[in-house]
């Protein structure tokens, strides 16, 4: 299995608080992605990165920011969490664009 | 129209049956295609890539039809352990952003 770790695995927080999710990889892959998965919507792309300090928005980026200061780490931040951001968040990596994705185990986030 | 569409199912089949899923995509410039398997509350895992000439891996066969813009997954001799959600992924256009279908649920019963 690809070396990809997400933390935390579970998080419960209150509306209006900031939350940061971390994705760490040991594969030295160039591309990293953050997806959220909700019933009826499938996996939707939030943000992705194609290199250190190189990021771009996905389909559902409003309310989220990301940072990638090192190849191995991709952080997803909810500046002020809302109940609509309750979801399962998956990080994925790939060696290059168009290549297969490898996923982390996911983070279950509940915003109360 | 969504970029990538799948029949959500569920497909309910007996053990030993053959079952096929399709996935249609809207971007004719799409370049790479994959099938993933996702078990309940787990991360998606790569099942197989889909090549232009079609490819097979044991009981699983994947095909690409560029003219009609769909990919397919055929599962022969279904096992109980094949019960899962099957996701198709399409990397489209110049950005190569991977886009997922919503998945097709398969239930294999004894």
């Amino acid at each position: 299995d690809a070396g990809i770790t997400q933390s935390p695995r579970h998080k419960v927080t209150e509306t209006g608080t900031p939350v940061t999710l971390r994705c760490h990889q040991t594969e030295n892959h160039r591309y990293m992605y953050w997806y959220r998965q909700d019933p009826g919507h499938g996996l939707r792309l939030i943000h992705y990165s194609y290199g250190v300090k190189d990021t771009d928005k996905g389909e559902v980026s409003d309310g989220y920011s990301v940072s990638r200061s090192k190849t191995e780490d991709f952080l997803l931040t909810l500046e002020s969490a809302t109940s609509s951001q309750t979801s399962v968040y998956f990080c994925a990596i790939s060696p290059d664009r168009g290549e297969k994705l490898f996923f982390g185990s996911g983070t279950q986030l509940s915003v109360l | 129209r969504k970029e990538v569409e799948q029949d959500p199912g569920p497909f309910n089949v007996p053990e030993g049956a053959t079952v096929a899923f399709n996935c249609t995509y809207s971007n004719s410039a799409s370049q790479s295609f994959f099938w993933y398997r996702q078990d309940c509350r787990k991360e998606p895992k790569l099942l197989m890539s889909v090549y232009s000439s079609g490819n097979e891996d044991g009981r699983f066969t994947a095909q690409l039809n560029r003219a009609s813009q769909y990919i397919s997954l055929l599962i022969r001799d279904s096992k109980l352990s094949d019960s899962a959600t099957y996701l198709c992924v399409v990397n489209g256009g110049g950005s190569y952003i991977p886009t997922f279908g919503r998945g097709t649920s398969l239930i294999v019963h004894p």
Side-chain angles (χ1 to χ4, degrees):
Chain A
D1 288 348
I4 177 168
T5 306
Q6 288 186 234
S7 58
R9 292 295 311 278
H10 303 274
K11 175 81 174 177
V12 179
T13 192
E14 294 183 347
T15 299
T17 60
V19 176
T20 295
L21 308 183
R22 181 183 184 230
C23 179
H24 178 78
Q25 60 143 332
T26 58
E27 305 295 324
N28 201 36
H29 283 350
R30 179 183 174 194
Y31 281 75
M32 299 185 76
Y33 306 85
W34 277 108
Y35 286 89
R36 60 177 290 174
Q37 188 171 36
D38 305 287
H41 290 280
L43 281 152
R44 293 181 291 174
L45 183 64
I46 304 171
H47 281 279
Y48 68 101
S49 169
Y50 46 97
V52 173
K53 298 192 190 315
D54 292 323
T55 66
D56 207 347
K57 296 179 180 181
E59 178 188 355
V60 290
S61 60
D62 287 348
Y64 302 93
S65 63
V66 291
S67 66
R68 190 168 178 198
S69 58
K70 299 184 289 185
T71 298
E72 55 266 36
D73 289 324
F74 193 32
L75 304 180
L76 177 70
T77 297
L78 292 65
E79 300 290 347
S80 178
T82 67
S83 58
S84 65
Q85 293 175 312
T86 292
S87 186
V88 179
Y89 291 84
F90 286 105
C91 175
I93 62 175
S94 67
D96 205 347
R97 64 178 196 170
E99 295 282 335
K100 60 193 76 170
L101 299 175
F102 301 94
F103 283 84
S105 300
T107 295
Q108 172 68 63
L109 176 67
S110 297
V111 184
L112 305 179
Chain B
R1 180 186 174 190
K2 271 190 69 66
E3 284 187 52
V4 180
E5 296 201 53
Q6 296 182 252
D7 181 344
F11 286 63
N12 210 315
V13 302
E15 272 186 292
T18 295
V19 62
F21 313 132
N22 283 346
C23 169
T24 59
Y25 60 94
S26 60
N27 189 338
S28 60
S30 297
Q31 295 294 322
S32 57
F33 309 86
F34 304 92
W35 282 103
Y36 283 75
R37 172 197 167 119
Q38 186 175 27
D39 295 294
C40 187
R41 307 181 76 83
K42 299 281 191 178
E43 73 272 23
K45 292 190 176 181
L46 180 69
L47 181 64
M48 56 198 305
S49 305
V50 186
Y51 302 120
S52 298
S53 55
N55 48 299
E56 188 174 307
D57 183 2
R59 298 181 293 110
F60 299 84
T61 300
Q63 293 197 310
L64 167 63
N65 186 317
R66 284 195 184 274
S68 300
Q69 294 183 205
Y70 73 88
I71 63 173
S72 64
L73 177 68
L74 180 78
I75 305 175
R76 291 181 298 278
D77 188 23
S78 297
K79 312 289 185 192
L80 295 176
S81 57
D82 293 334
S83 297
T85 296
Y86 291 84
L87 305 167
C88 67
V89 180
V90 176
N91 284 282
S95 64
Y96 281 87
I97 293 176
T99 302
F100 282 77
R102 295 184 183 181
T104 296
S105 175
L106 172 65
I107 301 170
V108 182
H109 59 83

